Amino acid sequence: MNEQPVPSIIEAIRQTVAERLQELDGVVGLRRSSEGVAPHVFQQGDDLSELEIVPRYPLTTVVSRLHKSFPEIRLGIVARGCDERAFVEMAKRNQIDPDRLFILGIACTAEEAEECHCAAPFPKHLVVGKPVAPGSPNPVVAEYDNTPLAKRNAFWRRQFAKCIKCYGCRNICPECFCEDCAMEDPAWVEPGLLAPPFPVFHLIRAMHMASRCVACRQCDLTCPAHIPLTVLYDLMRRDMEATLGYIPGEDIKAPPPLSVTLNEAPLLVNTGHMD
Amino acid sequence: MAVEEFEPRIVAFMCNWCTYAGADNAGVARLESPANILPIRVMCSGRISPELVLRTFREGADGVLVMGCHLGDCHYSSGNHRTIKRIPLLKSLLGFAGINPERLQLEWVSAAEGPRFTQVTKAFVERVRTLGPLSEEVAA
Amino acid sequence: MMDAGRHPNITLMTYSEVEEVSGYIGQFKVKVRQRPRYVDMDLCTGCGACVEACVFKKGVPNEFDEGLSRRKGVYIPMNGQGVPMKAVIDEDACLFLHRGKCVKKCMDACPTNAIDFDQKERLVDLEVGSIVVATGFDKFDAARLSAYSWGKSPNIIDGLQFERLSSATGPTKGEILTAEGNKPSRVAIIHCVGSRDENANRYCSRVCCMYALKHAHLVRDKTGAEVFEFYMDIRAFGKGYEEFYERVQEEGVYFVRGRGAEIVVLENGKLQIKAEDTTLGIPVAIDVDMAILATAMEPQTDADHVAALFGLSRSADGFFQEAHPKLRPFHTNTDGVFLAGTCQSPKDVPDTVAHANAAAAEALVILDRGEVLISPTTAMVVEERCVGCGDCVLVCPYSAISLLNSKAHLNSALCKGCGTCVATCPSGAIEALHFTDQQIVAEIEGVLAWQ
């Protein structure tokens, strides 16, 4: 994940950014400086040899803040498949303006696709790179239906026991935009209590992510305790697709299914309450 | 704790217009409902957020019933459309996280369905009784 | 009706339909489509010369006489007694409008030049504070129950058709005659046609027993014919009703306690009514000259559309749903919209008058008071927490929430307090007053104190 990409890809991206900067107010990307790699808004005249595409970092929050603070600004963004899907979901929630965002899409490498178990390792607005095949599915997720409840219970008890409530998963998530987070609300999550007996902390996040998670894996990568959060979220995504036919980030016109009526987003599966 | 001694504590969220009236209907008809059912009235089953359900389990409920109007009968026309999407999703999530999803149940009970209210609550209490206390499934 | 037509504060908009309703109590905006009458209402005097002159002699079935007579393309509604008493041209019947071929004698005959074939429909925008829905009922179509042989004999009629026969302004000037023009010697009246029936409507239509008794009384009085009433129960629930029932019994009407099961049209044209006489415990078959079916009142066929227009719910029987069956039978769950009369449930004249009077009074209270009391259990936006995601806007069944300057804005006159928005908001930026999360959590903690 952290090895340098093939030089021609990075050169192609820098070239594209240079061209697009002629018509855009800025391009959001990652910049390498003496202090490390960090988000940056490249503008005309910047040294584009400093533009990097690894390590992966979700730039949706940057775009969101820029769009809100500067209602006229037109931005480009260097984006992978998951970034583009994140933008679609954020656009549905009025956090970014899709008319003022131009996606300079890059394809992930085969190694990156495999690491992420990614089903769609390239954006629809692909500019640089060739689409690779999807990564193989996560074996834990694939085998989950055959895993008995007691085993699942033991697995997650052990995993959640490691959680130190650093909020890294929430902070890094490209879909999280709330100023007041339910995970910090003392009504739901008691302050000062680690490894709560009932994992409200984690389950609230999973429910909020159900119609939004684009499987970017940033939460997994960020968690200092290496809790495999995306196993849970992958299962939720599978459920959303099976019951409501919804894949986050797939269709900007599809309304958030949990918020609309059954006429607008019907249940595809009979849960036994259709009367 | 022996299974026979275990009395499950079930919090039942009831919508004001249908289920709560249905429970009243059962009472007026002198039908017996189990005392394990701890009712909480809300205006619409759509009011029940996943956070409320999770908090209820956190407080120690062995089972949670979310009850509202049948589809098409919602007093607020489509509140229960959200309930029918949310609660089964939360059930799945509990199952993924290793907590028995049968501890959470969605049921529609209308204002005239007193007998159905008693039948549904009795059945749920017995089911949760066989599942055992929640404390045995989550860290103490 | 005439008083309503003359009152200076009442504007009658005839031939009009509501197209769209928006807004809320005290501030409704209603769009009305008014179809053209092709008659200038200011010039027409209701003299009827156009009707006389109209060449379309064959005409079309007269809906006011329940199809028992015919009318021309131009007519004065309600057999000349409508309010307003002015002519109207039916564009589906008028030879000129329908086929483009007519010498338009009506125009020549009209002394005030009131006929105007160039009239166009118009859209009218109204701003009103309250709305009363009084859209009435429809008749049960007896053809749906084949056992009654509806349509197979002109002497099988329904309750409303009998009303027209008996009316002095009807097709027979009030004489009770068979289709052949003779006085009947035997008449059957069958109760519960289309009501109290799993194959039609389960409900009791309330008014039929009393009108059936009245019809029996009229037949006896006007023709002296034998009358057989086939009934399941006699519902004589109102003031003077039981006394009237006793009187009809004393007039010699035969009451057969058994649902009229079948009508067979015999070769000689007579009608054979088959039933079980449950008091005697034997099946009976009685031949009559005329059968009157006491058909049920039903909701109108466009009730779905009207309900959607005004935000009304429908009860299980299909009529518009009242806010509470006992305590608020003329309110709806939409504040400012009231129900009057049979659109809410079958009822007779005294009940309808009481119901409609009540609806009118409530409608006036809103206008008089100038302010509206709303339930305190509405939602409330906590603006500092809102990030403008708009999920609440999608969720609200009453469109009470909109986004203003990227923040949720709630119209508490529209909010009904269901709380669905509260459960949907990921930031907890909406609260349900009197059903806040804190309050519910306190209840959860409280009930779980039980061991």
Side-chain angles (χ1 to χ4, degrees):
Chain A
M1 196 45 133
N2 282 332
E3 70 262 330
Q4 283 302 312
V6 176
S8 58
I9 299 268
I10 190 77
E11 285 307 315
I13 263 291
R14 289 172 182 154
Q15 175 78 5
T16 309
V17 171
E19 284 161 20
R20 295 307 295 272
L21 273 174
Q22 287 163 27
E23 349 146 318
L24 297 169
D25 298 315
V27 174
V28 182
L30 293 170
R31 174 175 164 259
R32 176 180 25 86
S33 70
S34 55
E35 280 139 21
V37 176
H40 184 75
V41 183
F42 290 93
Q43 293 172 297
Q44 268 203 301
D46 282 357
D47 179 2
L48 289 174
S49 69
E50 293 174 343
L51 185 146
E52 297 291 353
I53 54 175
V54 287
R56 275 197 309 123
Y57 186 84
L59 296 164
T60 32
T61 320
V62 175
V63 173
S64 175
R65 286 193 209 271
L66 287 170
H67 270 184
K68 287 181 184 179
S69 307
F70 304 103
E72 302 292 318
I73 199 170
R74 294 166 72 250
L75 295 169
I77 179 147
V78 180
R80 297 167 185 270
C82 50
D83 296 315
E84 186 189 55
R85 292 191 285 278
F87 291 128
V88 166
E89 288 301 314
M90 291 294 264
K92 288 183 197 179
R93 286 150 180 104
N94 308 314
Q95 302 302 305
I96 63 138
D97 183 355
D99 295 330
R100 294 188 284 130
L101 186 65
F102 300 89
I103 296 185
L104 309 175
I106 57 176
C108 293
T109 65
E111 292 82 16
E112 287 168 337
E114 192 55 41
E115 273 217 35
C116 282
H117 303 289
C118 187
F122 51 88
K124 290 185 182 164
H125 295 93
L126 182 60
V127 168
V128 170
K130 285 201 178 22
V132 296
S136 59
N138 185 331
V140 176
V141 174
E143 273 307 300
Y144 215 75
D145 290 340
N146 298 331
T147 314
L149 197 70
K151 211 158 167 218
R152 300 179 188 183
N153 187 299
F155 176 76
W156 289 109
R157 269 208 223 189
R158 207 171 60 242
Q159 294 295 339
F160 290 146
K162 299 187 278 175
C163 175
I164 57 169
K165 284 167 78 179
C166 69
Y167 291 95
C169 51
R170 181 218 46 199
N171 292 344
I172 200 77
C173 179
E175 298 289 352
C176 274
F177 52 78
C178 294
E179 298 286 341
D180 288 82
C181 178
M183 293 164 81
E184 288 180 280
D185 190 335
W188 315 127
V189 178
E190 287 139 278
L193 200 65
L194 284 180
F198 191 90
V200 182
F201 184 83
H202 298 280
L203 296 183
I204 285 185
R205 180 136 204 286
M207 281 302 288
H208 282 208
M209 284 300 113
S211 65
R212 294 193 237 157
C213 176
V214 292
C216 71
R217 313 300 183 198
Q218 292 291 330
C219 48
D220 262 1
L221 294 171
T222 303
C223 177
H226 305 296
I227 300 170
L229 295 165
T230 56
V231 167
L232 217 49
Y233 303 160
D234 270 2
L235 292 163
M236 293 296 271
R237 281 164 53 88
R238 193 186 69 178
D239 219 54
M240 287 296 290
E241 198 181 343
T243 61
L244 288 159
Y246 188 76
I247 301 175
E250 190 58 33
D251 180 2
I252 197 166
K253 293 200 192 61
L258 296 173
S259 302
V260 293
T261 63
L262 287 169
N263 298 330
E264 292 156 305
L267 277 170
L268 304 177
V269 167
N270 187 344
T271 57
H273 302 101
M274 298 312 286
D275 58 337
Chain B
M1 190 194 284
V3 171
E4 313 88 81
E5 290 171 8
F6 167 51
E7 284 298 342
R9 291 181 303 164
I10 314 280
V11 173
F13 292 100
M14 304 180 194
C15 88
N16 179 61
W17 303 99
C18 283
T19 310
Y20 202 74
D24 271 350
N25 184 279
V28 160
R30 308 185 76 79
L31 300 167
E32 246 188 58
S33 304
N36 312 66
I37 297 291
L38 308 164
I40 293 186
R41 181 179 73 116
V42 289
M43 296 312 285
C44 178
S45 61
R47 174 71 185 86
I48 304 303
S49 59
E51 287 87 336
L52 279 170
V53 175
L54 293 173
R55 176 70 195 256
T56 310
F57 280 121
R58 168 71 188 99
E59 285 298 318
D62 302 298
V64 173
L65 265 175
V66 175
M67 301 202 272
C69 309
H70 292 264
L71 287 180
D73 289 348
C74 179
H75 184 82
Y76 304 99
S77 89
S78 57
N80 58 0
H81 286 214
R82 283 81 187 183
T83 322
I84 198 182
K85 295 184 191 187
R86 246 181 231 153
I87 303 298
L89 188 67
L90 181 55
K91 262 180 88 121
S92 293
L93 177 61
L94 289 173
F96 298 146
I99 297 157
N100 200 316
E102 290 185 86
R103 292 186 184 277
L104 172 61
Q105 182 84 325
L106 174 66
E107 285 290 351
W108 304 138
V109 173
S110 81
E113 288 181 315
R116 180 170 152 72
F117 176 80
T118 54
Q119 172 220 330
V120 155
T121 50
K122 271 191 195 138
F124 189 66
V125 168
E126 290 320 304
R127 183 72 196 116
V128 175
R129 198 191 294 278
T130 62
L131 296 180
L134 180 73
S135 52
E136 283 173 7
E137 232 179 298
V138 295
Chain C
M1 235 180 5
M2 287 215 300
D3 289 342
R6 284 195 204 134
H7 198 289
N9 285 10
I10 298 179
T11 306
L12 287 183
M13 293 180 72
T14 57
Y15 240 34
S16 305
E17 276 189 12
V18 172
E19 279 259 303
E20 201 183 299
V21 180
S22 62
Y24 50 93
I25 181 175
Q27 301 186 36
F28 289 109
K29 285 192 174 35
V30 182
K31 211 188 273 286
V32 177
R33 182 183 298 273
Q34 188 160 36
R35 286 170 61 195
R37 279 174 92 110
Y38 303 105
V39 171
D40 187 326
M41 300 284 272
D42 294 321
L43 295 175
C44 175
T45 61
C47 68
C50 51
V51 183
E52 278 275 334
C54 176
V55 301
F56 188 20
K57 301 247 181 299
K58 184 173 169 222
V60 293
N62 182 354
E63 41 290 272
F64 186 66
D65 275 340
E66 298 293 321
L68 293 178
S69 67
R70 296 180 85 82
R71 61 157 172 82
K72 295 183 177 178
V74 60
Y75 63 108
I76 298 183
M78 294 177 75
N79 289 3
Q81 297 191 322
V83 172
M85 203 176 76
K86 311 232 170 174
V88 60
I89 299 182
D90 174 3
E91 60 187 31
D92 293 322
C94 168
L95 293 176
F96 177 66
L97 289 170
H98 195 51
R99 292 191 223 163
K101 285 186 201 183
C102 187
V103 293
K104 296 182 263 175
K105 290 236 164 86
C106 51
M107 287 187 81
D108 301 330
C110 178
T112 58
N113 281 325
I115 298 198
D116 176 9
F117 283 106
D118 291 323
Q119 245 185 34
K120 297 272 175 284
E121 71 173 23
R122 50 187 207 123
L123 283 173
V124 181
D125 285 311
L126 300 173
E127 284 181 9
V128 298
S130 48
I131 295 175
V132 178
V133 176
T135 48
F137 69 95
D138 229 340
K139 265 191 326 192
F140 175 74
D141 177 8
R144 284 163 59 186
L145 295 171
S146 54
Y148 293 122
S149 301
W150 181 259
K152 298 216 172 97
S153 159
N155 289 319
I156 303 176
I157 59 175
D158 63 36
L160 265 180
Q161 286 175 321
F162 182 83
E163 292 276 354
R164 296 314 301 152
L165 278 187
S166 169
S167 167
T169 62
T172 58
K173 305 271 187 291
E175 288 215 54
I176 311 298
L177 300 173
T178 62
E180 295 80 27
N182 307 317
K183 277 197 178 159
S185 53
R186 223 191 233 170
V187 175
I189 303 180
I190 303 190
H191 289 223
C192 304
V193 174
S195 53
R196 303 185 68 189
D197 189 341
E198 274 178 359
N199 300 319
N201 297 301
R202 298 186 79 118
Y203 54 83
C204 164
S205 184
R206 192 173 172 99
V207 306
C208 327
C209 276
M210 291 314 294
Y211 82 59
L213 290 177
K214 182 187 69 176
H215 290 355
H217 168 76
L218 285 170
V219 170
R220 293 290 294 153
D221 193 55
K222 292 188 173 190
T223 68
E226 283 186 318
V227 180
F228 288 84
E229 289 231 13
F230 294 86
Y231 72 100
M232 297 202 289
D233 300 282
I234 296 291
R235 289 167 172 193
F237 55 89
K239 188 166 183 175
Y241 291 15
E242 181 69 19
E243 296 89 325
F244 183 69
Y245 173 37
E246 281 180 11
R247 177 175 155 192
V248 172
Q249 288 178 75
E250 281 157 19
E251 283 170 358
V253 170
Y254 296 109
F255 285 88
V256 179
R257 190 175 181 283
R259 186 176 212 152
E262 196 185 341
I263 302 182
V264 180
V265 183
L266 301 173
E267 278 198 15
N268 59 8
K270 284 196 191 280
L271 309 165
Q272 187 173 85
I273 319 294
K274 294 190 176 171
E276 184 200 343
D277 186 331
T278 59
T279 48
L280 297 176
I282 52 166
V284 297
I286 305 185
D287 295 355
V288 301
D289 303 311
M290 178 190 280
I292 306 172
L293 304 181
T295 46
M297 282 185 171
E298 278 190 328
Q300 296 251 26
T301 45
D302 64 353
D304 256 338
H305 174 68
V306 174
L309 266 181
F310 294 99
L312 306 174
S313 312
R314 297 174 69 194
S315 331
D317 55 17
F319 290 93
F320 295 138
Q321 178 139 61
E322 63 287 327
H324 188 283
K326 290 192 182 186
L327 302 175
R328 306 181 82 211
F330 44 91
H331 293 77
T332 64
N333 286 323
T334 307
D335 287 341
V337 177
F338 304 98
L339 299 174
T342 53
C343 64
Q344 181 256 343
S345 73
K347 36 174 92 65
D348 56 11
V349 172
D351 288 344
T352 301
V353 170
H355 197 244
N357 244 299
E362 282 290 332
L364 285 175
V365 163
I366 296 168
L367 304 182
D368 185 61
R369 210 183 254 156
E371 52 181 37
V372 172
L373 285 177
I374 55 175
S375 166
T377 56
T378 54
M380 193 181 78
V381 176
V382 181
E383 272 205 3
E384 311 85 70
R385 293 179 159 202
C386 175
V387 277
C389 76
D391 270 0
C392 54
V393 178
L394 291 174
V395 150
C396 182
Y398 301 98
S399 307
I401 313 181
S402 50
L403 281 176
L404 268 181
N405 298 328
S406 305
K407 295 270 181 190
H409 170 79
L410 184 84
N411 180 337
S412 43
L414 285 174
C415 173
K416 294 271 159 233
C418 70
T420 309
C421 56
V422 180
T424 302
C425 177
S427 313
I430 294 195
E431 283 181 359
L433 296 175
H434 304 283
F435 282 91
T436 64
D437 281 334
Q438 277 81 346
Q439 287 169 322
I440 297 180
V441 166
E443 283 184 88
I444 296 170
E445 289 174 333
V447 295
L448 282 171
W450 176 80
Q451 294 293 340

PDB file of all heavy atoms in Angstrom, chain A residues 181-200:
ATOM      1  N   CYS A 181     -21.576  14.417  17.147  1.00  0.00           N
ATOM      2  CA  CYS A 181     -21.584  13.008  16.787  1.00  0.00           C
ATOM      3  C   CYS A 181     -22.329  12.186  17.839  1.00  0.00           C
ATOM      4  O   CYS A 181     -22.140  12.371  19.051  1.00  0.00           O
ATOM      5  CB  CYS A 181     -20.145  12.527  16.660  1.00  0.00           C
ATOM      6  SG  CYS A 181     -20.012  10.787  16.263  1.00  0.00           S
ATOM      7  N   ALA A 182     -23.153  11.256  17.326  1.00  0.00           N
ATOM      8  CA  ALA A 182     -23.909  10.398  18.238  1.00  0.00           C
ATOM      9  C   ALA A 182     -22.985   9.576  19.117  1.00  0.00           C
ATOM     10  O   ALA A 182     -23.339   9.195  20.240  1.00  0.00           O
ATOM     11  CB  ALA A 182     -24.826   9.468  17.442  1.00  0.00           C
ATOM     12  N   MET A 183     -21.768   9.305  18.608  1.00  0.00           N
ATOM     13  CA  MET A 183     -20.846   8.486  19.395  1.00  0.00           C
ATOM     14  C   MET A 183     -20.271   9.260  20.587  1.00  0.00           C
ATOM     15  O   MET A 183     -19.653   8.677  21.470  1.00  0.00           O
ATOM     16  CB  MET A 183     -19.688   8.000  18.517  1.00  0.00           C
ATOM     17  CG  MET A 183     -20.149   7.024  17.444  1.00  0.00           C
ATOM     18  SD  MET A 183     -18.905   6.857  16.181  1.00  0.00           S
ATOM     19  CE  MET A 183     -17.805   5.697  16.960  1.00  0.00           C
ATOM     20  N   GLU A 184     -20.461  10.587  20.542  1.00  0.00           N
ATOM     21  CA  GLU A 184     -19.989  11.385  21.684  1.00  0.00           C
ATOM     22  C   GLU A 184     -21.143  11.849  22.554  1.00  0.00           C
ATOM     23  O   GLU A 184     -20.950  12.608  23.496  1.00  0.00           O
ATOM     24  CB  GLU A 184     -19.232  12.612  21.180  1.00  0.00           C
ATOM     25  CG  GLU A 184     -17.881  12.252  20.593  1.00  0.00           C
ATOM     26  CD  GLU A 184     -17.147  13.484  20.100  1.00  0.00           C
ATOM     27  OE1 GLU A 184     -17.465  13.959  18.997  1.00  0.00           O
ATOM     28  OE2 GLU A 184     -16.260  13.954  20.822  1.00  0.00           O
ATOM     29  N   ASP A 185     -22.350  11.398  22.227  1.00  0.00           N
ATOM     30  CA  ASP A 185     -23.526  11.833  22.968  1.00  0.00           C
ATOM     31  C   ASP A 185     -23.642  10.993  24.236  1.00  0.00           C
ATOM     32  O   ASP A 185     -23.791   9.771  24.165  1.00  0.00           O
ATOM     33  CB  ASP A 185     -24.762  11.656  22.077  1.00  0.00           C
ATOM     34  CG  ASP A 185     -25.996  12.304  22.663  1.00  0.00           C
ATOM     35  OD1 ASP A 185     -26.061  12.468  23.905  1.00  0.00           O
ATOM     36  OD2 ASP A 185     -26.902  12.641  21.880  1.00  0.00           O
ATOM     37  N   PRO A 186     -23.566  11.627  25.401  1.00  0.00           N
ATOM     38  CA  PRO A 186     -23.597  10.838  26.645  1.00  0.00           C
ATOM     39  C   PRO A 186     -24.890  10.063  26.844  1.00  0.00           C
ATOM     40  O   PRO A 186     -24.928   9.130  27.639  1.00  0.00           O
ATOM     41  CB  PRO A 186     -23.436  11.897  27.755  1.00  0.00           C
ATOM     42  CG  PRO A 186     -23.660  13.206  27.107  1.00  0.00           C
ATOM     43  CD  PRO A 186     -23.414  13.071  25.654  1.00  0.00           C
ATOM     44  N   ALA A 187     -25.932  10.423  26.117  1.00  0.00           N
ATOM     45  CA  ALA A 187     -27.163   9.636  26.229  1.00  0.00           C
ATOM     46  C   ALA A 187     -26.954   8.228  25.705  1.00  0.00           C
ATOM     47  O   ALA A 187     -27.592   7.278  26.150  1.00  0.00           O
ATOM     48  CB  ALA A 187     -28.291  10.311  25.442  1.00  0.00           C
ATOM     49  N   TRP A 188     -26.074   8.076  24.718  1.00  0.00           N
ATOM     50  CA  TRP A 188     -25.884   6.749  24.122  1.00  0.00           C
ATOM     51  C   TRP A 188     -24.585   6.102  24.574  1.00  0.00           C
ATOM     52  O   TRP A 188     -24.531   4.883  24.755  1.00  0.00           O
ATOM     53  CB  TRP A 188     -25.882   6.854  22.583  1.00  0.00           C
ATOM     54  CG  TRP A 188     -26.970   7.707  22.053  1.00  0.00           C
ATOM     55  CD1 TRP A 188     -26.850   8.745  21.201  1.00  0.00           C
ATOM     56  CD2 TRP A 188     -28.379   7.629  22.362  1.00  0.00           C
ATOM     57  NE1 TRP A 188     -28.068   9.300  20.948  1.00  0.00           N
ATOM     58  CE2 TRP A 188     -29.017   8.641  21.651  1.00  0.00           C
ATOM     59  CE3 TRP A 188     -29.139   6.784  23.179  1.00  0.00           C
ATOM     60  CZ2 TRP A 188     -30.388   8.849  21.722  1.00  0.00           C
ATOM     61  CZ3 TRP A 188     -30.507   6.984  23.252  1.00  0.00           C
ATOM     62  CH2 TRP A 188     -31.119   8.011  22.524  1.00  0.00           C
ATOM     63  N   VAL A 189     -23.523   6.884  24.698  1.00  0.00           N
ATOM     64  CA  VAL A 189     -22.211   6.324  25.017  1.00  0.00           C
ATOM     65  C   VAL A 189     -21.728   6.974  26.307  1.00  0.00           C
ATOM     66  O   VAL A 189     -21.476   8.175  26.340  1.00  0.00           O
ATOM     67  CB  VAL A 189     -21.203   6.599  23.876  1.00  0.00           C
ATOM     68  CG1 VAL A 189     -19.839   6.057  24.234  1.00  0.00           C
ATOM     69  CG2 VAL A 189     -21.715   5.983  22.576  1.00  0.00           C
ATOM     70  N   GLU A 190     -21.653   6.171  27.349  1.00  0.00           N
ATOM     71  CA  GLU A 190     -21.240   6.742  28.630  1.00  0.00           C
ATOM     72  C   GLU A 190     -19.798   7.217  28.573  1.00  0.00           C
ATOM     73  O   GLU A 190     -18.919   6.465  28.167  1.00  0.00           O
ATOM     74  CB  GLU A 190     -21.363   5.700  29.743  1.00  0.00           C
ATOM     75  CG  GLU A 190     -22.794   5.411  30.130  1.00  0.00           C
ATOM     76  CD  GLU A 190     -22.999   3.933  30.353  1.00  0.00           C
ATOM     77  OE1 GLU A 190     -23.183   3.212  29.356  1.00  0.00           O
ATOM     78  OE2 GLU A 190     -22.939   3.504  31.509  1.00  0.00           O
ATOM     79  N   PRO A 191     -19.588   8.475  28.986  1.00  0.00           N
ATOM     80  CA  PRO A 191     -18.208   8.969  28.946  1.00  0.00           C
ATOM     81  C   PRO A 191     -17.339   8.257  29.982  1.00  0.00           C
ATOM     82  O   PRO A 191     -17.830   7.837  31.023  1.00  0.00           O
ATOM     83  CB  PRO A 191     -18.348  10.456  29.306  1.00  0.00           C
ATOM     84  CG  PRO A 191     -19.770  10.708  29.583  1.00  0.00           C
ATOM     85  CD  PRO A 191     -20.520   9.430  29.542  1.00  0.00           C
ATOM     86  N   GLY A 192     -16.072   8.098  29.651  1.00  0.00           N
ATOM     87  CA  GLY A 192     -15.114   7.583  30.626  1.00  0.00           C
ATOM     88  C   GLY A 192     -15.177   6.089  30.832  1.00  0.00           C
ATOM     89  O   GLY A 192     -14.546   5.550  31.735  1.00  0.00           O
ATOM     90  N   LEU A 193     -15.937   5.366  29.994  1.00  0.00           N
ATOM     91  CA  LEU A 193     -16.056   3.920  30.202  1.00  0.00           C
ATOM     92  C   LEU A 193     -15.475   3.222  28.986  1.00  0.00           C
ATOM     93  O   LEU A 193     -15.947   3.411  27.878  1.00  0.00           O
ATOM     94  CB  LEU A 193     -17.533   3.561  30.351  1.00  0.00           C
ATOM     95  CG  LEU A 193     -17.873   2.239  31.030  1.00  0.00           C
ATOM     96  CD1 LEU A 193     -17.430   2.259  32.472  1.00  0.00           C
ATOM     97  CD2 LEU A 193     -19.381   2.020  30.958  1.00  0.00           C
ATOM     98  N   LEU A 194     -14.411   2.452  29.188  1.00  0.00           N
ATOM     99  CA  LEU A 194     -13.821   1.759  28.058  1.00  0.00           C
ATOM    100  C   LEU A 194     -14.283   0.323  27.999  1.00  0.00           C
ATOM    101  O   LEU A 194     -14.575  -0.278  29.031  1.00  0.00           O
ATOM    102  CB  LEU A 194     -12.287   1.814  28.165  1.00  0.00           C
ATOM    103  CG  LEU A 194     -11.677   3.164  27.802  1.00  0.00           C
ATOM    104  CD1 LEU A 194     -10.171   3.100  27.938  1.00  0.00           C
ATOM    105  CD2 LEU A 194     -12.057   3.546  26.393  1.00  0.00           C
ATOM    106  N   ALA A 195     -14.348  -0.187  26.778  1.00  0.00           N
ATOM    107  CA  ALA A 195     -14.883  -1.508  26.537  1.00  0.00           C
ATOM    108  C   ALA A 195     -16.230  -1.672  27.257  1.00  0.00           C
ATOM    109  O   ALA A 195     -16.337  -2.411  28.234  1.00  0.00           O
ATOM    110  CB  ALA A 195     -13.898  -2.597  26.997  1.00  0.00           C
ATOM    111  N   PRO A 196     -17.256  -0.902  26.805  1.00  0.00           N
ATOM    112  CA  PRO A 196     -18.557  -0.999  27.476  1.00  0.00           C
ATOM    113  C   PRO A 196     -19.133  -2.404  27.330  1.00  0.00           C
ATOM    114  O   PRO A 196     -18.849  -3.089  26.364  1.00  0.00           O
ATOM    115  CB  PRO A 196     -19.418   0.022  26.718  1.00  0.00           C
ATOM    116  CG  PRO A 196     -18.750   0.177  25.404  1.00  0.00           C
ATOM    117  CD  PRO A 196     -17.307  -0.057  25.624  1.00  0.00           C
ATOM    118  N   PRO A 197     -19.950  -2.823  28.280  1.00  0.00           N
ATOM    119  CA  PRO A 197     -20.491  -4.177  28.248  1.00  0.00           C
ATOM    120  C   PRO A 197     -21.286  -4.456  26.971  1.00  0.00           C
ATOM    121  O   PRO A 197     -21.191  -5.514  26.388  1.00  0.00           O
ATOM    122  CB  PRO A 197     -21.404  -4.246  29.467  1.00  0.00           C
ATOM    123  CG  PRO A 197     -20.982  -3.128  30.334  1.00  0.00           C
ATOM    124  CD  PRO A 197     -20.374  -2.090  29.471  1.00  0.00           C
ATOM    125  N   PHE A 198     -22.065  -3.493  26.541  1.00  0.00           N
ATOM    126  CA  PHE A 198     -22.832  -3.679  25.312  1.00  0.00           C
ATOM    127  C   PHE A 198     -22.261  -2.702  24.298  1.00  0.00           C
ATOM    128  O   PHE A 198     -22.206  -1.521  24.537  1.00  0.00           O
ATOM    129  CB  PHE A 198     -24.320  -3.406  25.552  1.00  0.00           C
ATOM    130  CG  PHE A 198     -25.173  -3.845  24.406  1.00  0.00           C
ATOM    131  CD1 PHE A 198     -25.688  -5.137  24.363  1.00  0.00           C
ATOM    132  CD2 PHE A 198     -25.425  -2.994  23.344  1.00  0.00           C
ATOM    133  CE1 PHE A 198     -26.451  -5.562  23.292  1.00  0.00           C
ATOM    134  CE2 PHE A 198     -26.194  -3.415  22.269  1.00  0.00           C
ATOM    135  CZ  PHE A 198     -26.710  -4.702  22.241  1.00  0.00           C
ATOM    136  N   PRO A 199     -21.833  -3.188  23.156  1.00  0.00           N
ATOM    137  CA  PRO A 199     -21.041  -2.332  22.263  1.00  0.00           C
ATOM    138  C   PRO A 199     -21.857  -1.269  21.536  1.00  0.00           C
ATOM    139  O   PRO A 199     -21.869  -1.206  20.315  1.00  0.00           O
ATOM    140  CB  PRO A 199     -20.438  -3.331  21.276  1.00  0.00           C
ATOM    141  CG  PRO A 199     -21.419  -4.442  21.216  1.00  0.00           C
ATOM    142  CD  PRO A 199     -22.009  -4.548  22.583  1.00  0.00           C
ATOM    143  N   VAL A 200     -22.517  -0.399  22.314  1.00  0.00           N
ATOM    144  CA  VAL A 200     -23.326   0.650  21.695  1.00  0.00           C
ATOM    145  C   VAL A 200     -22.458   1.510  20.782  1.00  0.00           C
ATOM    146  O   VAL A 200     -22.842   1.850  19.671  1.00  0.00           O
ATOM    147  CB  VAL A 200     -23.965   1.548  22.778  1.00  0.00           C
ATOM    148  CG1 VAL A 200     -24.833   2.604  22.139  1.00  0.00           C
ATOM    149  CG2 VAL A 200     -24.783   0.712  23.741  1.00  0.00           C
TER     150      VAL A 200
END
